Amino acid sequence: MTERPALELRDLSYSYDGTPVIEGANLTVGCGEFVTVVGPNGGGKTTLIKLVLGLLRPDSGSVRVFGCRPEESKPRMGYVPQRSDIDPSFPATVLDVVLMGRLGKTRRFGMYTREDVDAAMAALVDVELAELPRRPFSKLSGGQRQRTLIARALASQPDILLLDEPTANLDIAMEQELYEILLRLKKRLTLLLVSHDLAFVSGFTDTVACVNRTVVVHTTSEVTPELINALYGRDVRFVRHDHLMGGAE
Amino acid sequence: MNEFLEAVANHAFMRHALLTGVLASVACGVMGSFVVVKRISYVAGGIAHCVLGGIGAALYLQRAHGWDALDPIYGALVAALVAAVVIGLVSLKARQRVDTVIGAVWAIGMATGILFLSKTPGYGEDLMSYLFGNILMVTGRDLWLMVALDTVVVAAALLFFKQFQSICFDEEFSRVRGINVSLYFVFLLVLTALTIVLLVTVVGIVMVIALLTIPAAVAGHFTNRLSHMMAAAIFVSVIFTTGGLAVSYGPNLPAGATIIVLAGATYLLVAVIAGARRRRRRTGGNGTTDRMVTEGDRERG
């Protein structure tokens, strides 16, 4: 573990219109870890992910992604937003959407390059959509649309993947597909997943961070309390969830 | 119809009018598609109506103060660009009540134009032609300006297609990918403003939004990619402008209004047919696409 943690939040606070949404949050995610952020609606889960992405600026405290400020680490971050924020009737093929993930890596002017298409196709293989690059985005099922957006995030070849509520509006079969894709990605990426669905994540996540204004970390891996305290800082209460350990890898 | 073809053969103004329609259609198909998929027709409407302010000011300075070189189209350009930047910044900064602000800018732009025109000697016919179009009065010099505007719009859209497509699809993701979304959004509005100035010549300020959005909306029914939508929108727009000119010539109807009625009627027809097809598919009658998707999912699951 010579590399700096993938993600490090220190005493992070953010308020919206004077109402505190996140207060004194601390969280450390090591490289290659899979952390799930759970919490009630309005508890600040999405705010937390936006602070990590650099879309929002904290009032106080710091966010470090691979040791750098979010703005500098953007090229290393892949982001899968909530599907409900996206217009499903947008005129684009699956490949068109996935290519958008190449922005920031590709040339500034003109069309996408051969290299971009190769990276996009590789990302489609990761999400098992390699046969459908020409399928219109508007004609996809909910699960396929979800996987297209994951492929878009993967197309930039990120080191950390952040997913906001990927299980929203998915049926059980689609959840199973997503589960398998994430299990495979876990082998080569750091994953941060926001979900209200603890049942979905408990099987394969390393750590569960509960967000309700502040962050409380629960772990499913076998680490000593001393190490956890050193990793996550003094403001964090440490809770062992033994019933989740059976499902952890 | 023969009458129309004869007029095209014999009169330069008819050839200019046809060419104007084609030139306007190019920018219109490209930028109209962005406006439709980004759902900013109201923003475009605000920009269009501000154009009258610029036209009014230019005419006033030209006629009442002897600034002969100041063609109203330059006033239109300046007003459209200023409106694009102002509305762009407002919609980026003031997340709430953007529509109220745009509505205010919309009305202030028009009111300013009317005030200037009321103090301009002999304004009556000008006001009508700017509000409802003057495609039959396009001069050779106007055409060159249109070619220049077209070139700027199409070149910019090609160079930055990736960025524009991405901010139209998902602003937040684009920001994570390091794109300056605010800058590209204002840039998109500036290009829309240039296109609006082109289209004002064809159908006038009041109807410009229809010509900007209807061809793209019609094209959207037949295409599944933004680039294809643009190409189809250009084609549809050429049909509308040329068809409108041809239909209006014989009975001596206003060309701009004829173009818009033709476009609007086509749009309604296409929307109704598309709606009926969707319903039939949903009830399982002749359905193909939806079922294919479901089967694909089942295989996977």
Side-chain angles (χ1 to χ4, degrees):
Chain A
M1 292 292 269
T2 45
E3 203 182 354
R4 278 184 270 192
L7 175 64
E8 198 169 22
L9 308 183
R10 279 245 178 91
D11 300 322
L12 193 67
S13 295
Y14 180 83
S15 54
Y16 183 77
D17 278 348
T19 314
V21 186
I22 303 274
E23 260 186 321
N26 287 282
L27 176 68
T28 304
V29 178
C31 285
E33 263 191 83
F34 187 144
V35 174
T36 302
V37 177
V38 296
N41 282 335
K45 299 191 296 285
T46 297
T47 304
L48 191 76
I49 216 170
K50 287 185 178 172
L51 286 164
V52 172
L53 289 164
L55 294 171
L56 297 173
R57 270 173 209 284
D59 298 339
S60 62
S62 72
V63 179
R64 289 289 176 271
V65 183
F66 298 110
C68 302
R69 293 185 309 124
E71 293 76 26
E72 298 156 30
S73 295
K74 271 179 183 173
R76 300 181 72 176
M77 289 193 268
Y79 173 45
V80 183
Q82 289 195 28
R83 218 154 26 93
S84 53
D85 297 341
I86 292 202
D87 173 13
S89 67
F90 193 92
T93 61
V94 167
L95 184 60
D96 287 336
V97 172
V98 176
L99 277 170
M100 293 182 208
R102 294 296 297 167
L103 286 164
K105 300 257 165 164
T106 181
R107 57 183 183 182
R108 183 186 298 260
F109 305 108
M111 300 301 150
Y112 291 104
T113 61
R114 186 72 238 168
E115 194 190 338
D116 296 325
V117 175
D118 291 343
M121 287 306 295
L124 281 173
V125 172
D126 287 332
V127 299
E128 292 172 28
L129 281 178
E131 303 84 48
L132 301 180
R134 307 266 161 236
R135 175 75 55 94
F137 188 67
S138 58
K139 304 243 162 77
L140 297 179
S141 69
Q144 290 170 329
R145 212 163 276 160
Q146 174 76 64
R147 283 184 277 148
T148 304
L149 296 180
I150 295 176
R152 178 179 65 157
L154 292 174
S156 64
Q157 292 148 339
D159 297 316
I160 181 170
L161 189 65
L162 303 106
L163 301 99
D164 195 356
E165 291 283 5
T167 54
N169 304 318
L170 290 190
D171 64 29
I172 291 178
M174 294 171 181
E175 269 188 19
Q176 185 61 31
E177 285 170 7
L178 181 65
Y179 182 89
E180 279 159 19
I181 289 167
L182 293 180
L183 269 187
R184 253 181 289 130
L185 293 176
K186 184 183 161 161
K187 290 178 187 138
R188 55 174 225 246
L189 287 172
T190 306
L191 287 164
L192 185 77
L193 185 148
V194 166
S195 181
H196 63 275
D197 184 359
L198 194 56
F200 172 70
V201 300
S202 61
F204 58 112
T205 190
D206 297 320
T207 307
V208 176
C210 292
V211 178
N212 193 6
R213 267 184 43 191
T214 185
V215 176
V216 181
V217 175
H218 304 242
T219 183
T220 57
S221 59
E222 281 194 282
V223 209
T224 60
E226 294 75 39
L227 182 58
I228 288 292
N229 275 336
L231 272 174
Y232 296 109
R234 57 196 154 80
D235 289 350
V236 168
R237 279 179 286 142
F238 167 51
V239 183
R240 281 278 291 274
H241 278 230
D242 287 333
H243 63 281
L244 292 177
M245 284 177 65
E249 274 202 342
Chain B
M1 199 45 153
N2 274 338
E3 211 178 342
F4 169 71
L5 294 175
E6 247 168 63
V8 172
N10 295 331
H11 301 298
F13 76 87
M14 278 310 287
R15 287 194 294 276
H16 285 173
L18 275 179
L19 203 51
T20 302
V22 173
L23 288 173
S25 294
V26 173
C28 164
V30 173
M31 295 315 295
S33 298
F34 282 131
V35 168
V36 166
V37 298
K38 184 103 181 90
R39 297 169 192 235
I40 48 168
S41 5
Y42 194 63
V43 174
I47 297 173
H49 285 75
C50 282
V51 163
L52 190 69
I55 288 174
L59 274 176
Y60 173 73
L61 291 171
Q62 196 183 33
R63 303 248 174 102
H65 291 276
W67 295 28
D68 289 333
L70 193 65
D71 193 279
I73 199 152
Y74 299 124
L77 270 177
V78 171
L81 294 177
V82 170
V85 172
V86 169
I87 293 178
L89 294 179
V90 165
S91 24
L92 286 168
K93 299 291 169 206
R95 277 284 164 210
Q96 291 156 359
R97 307 225 172 80
V98 176
D99 55 336
T100 313
V101 178
I102 294 172
V105 173
W106 178 310
I108 291 168
M110 277 215 106
T112 314
I114 290 168
L115 287 180
F116 273 120
L117 286 171
S118 72
K119 289 292 167 197
T120 304
Y123 74 90
E125 75 212 65
D126 289 321
L127 181 61
M128 286 299 279
S129 77
Y130 291 119
L131 287 181
F132 303 111
N134 53 355
I135 192 169
L136 295 177
M137 290 190 270
V138 172
T139 63
R141 203 171 60 116
D142 293 339
L143 282 176
W144 280 114
L145 185 67
M146 286 182 189
V147 171
L149 288 178
D150 252 342
T151 311
V152 171
V153 168
V154 173
L158 283 177
L159 280 177
F160 300 106
F161 182 84
K162 297 191 300 281
Q163 287 88 343
F164 288 143
Q165 181 190 38
S166 185
I167 69 161
C168 288
F169 183 68
D170 187 347
E171 279 192 10
E172 201 169 60
F173 181 86
S174 310
R175 212 164 273 139
V176 175
R177 293 273 32 99
I179 293 184
N180 188 336
V181 171
S182 310
L183 183 74
Y184 279 102
F185 179 64
V186 173
F187 190 19
L188 192 71
L189 291 188
V190 163
L191 295 176
T192 307
L194 295 182
T195 307
I196 284 170
V197 172
L198 262 170
L199 296 182
V200 162
T201 322
V202 182
V203 290
I205 288 164
V206 174
M207 294 179 286
V208 82
I209 287 312
L211 192 55
L212 186 64
T213 54
I214 290 177
V218 170
H221 279 291
F222 302 102
T223 50
N224 289 315
R225 298 186 73 188
L226 188 55
S227 52
H228 296 180
M229 181 177 177
M230 289 173 174
I234 293 173
F235 177 73
V236 170
S237 175
V238 168
I239 302 278
F240 289 157
T241 51
T242 310
L245 272 174
V247 170
S248 67
Y249 187 78
N252 196 22
L253 297 169
T258 312
I259 290 169
I260 295 303
V261 169
L262 186 66
T266 310
Y267 176 60
L268 284 179
L269 194 69
V270 168
V272 167
I273 293 173
R277 262 174 44 193
R278 253 202 312 277
R279 262 196 305 282
R280 207 172 56 205
R281 212 179 287 156
R282 212 172 290 146
T283 51
N286 214 354
T288 48
T289 329
D290 287 353
R291 220 167 45 210
M292 264 164 52
V293 170
T294 332
E295 273 161 19
D297 282 351
R298 219 168 279 144
E299 269 164 42
R300 225 167 287 286

